[in-house]
């Protein structure tokens, strides 16, 4: 996976953690669900941050 894709996924899961915490605090979703979603998203964010990026292969000239 390229560094660009890793960065995108890390940002998405980080945002999901923040949104779920916000929705749980506002009472939109249950606090138990909010904590579970935030914990899973945070764990995925950490796992993605530790994953080495695959170097991009140079594209041949057209």
């Amino acid at each position: 996976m390229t560094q660009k894709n890793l960065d995108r996924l890390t940002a998405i899961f980080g945002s999901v953690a923040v949104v779920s915490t916000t929705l749980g605090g506002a009472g939109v979703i249950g606090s138990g669900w909010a904590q579970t979603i935030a914990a899973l998203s945070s764990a995925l964010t950490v796992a993605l941050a530790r994953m080495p990026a695959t170097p991009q292969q140079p594209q041949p000239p057209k």
Side-chain angles (χ1 to χ4, degrees):
M1 191 175 301
T2 65
Q3 186 62 48
K4 185 177 180 180
N5 288 339
L6 284 174
D7 291 344
R8 281 185 186 158
L9 289 173
T10 301
I12 289 169
F13 286 122
S15 297
V16 168
V18 171
V19 168
S20 68
T21 303
T22 303
L23 292 176
V28 176
I29 59 175
S31 63
W33 279 110
Q35 290 174 352
T36 301
I37 294 168
L40 289 172
S41 296
S42 296
L44 286 169
T45 301
V46 170
L48 286 170
R50 293 181 180 175
M51 185 181 292
T54 305
Q56 287 185 309
Q57 300 297 325
Q59 298 296 322
K62 292 183 178 181

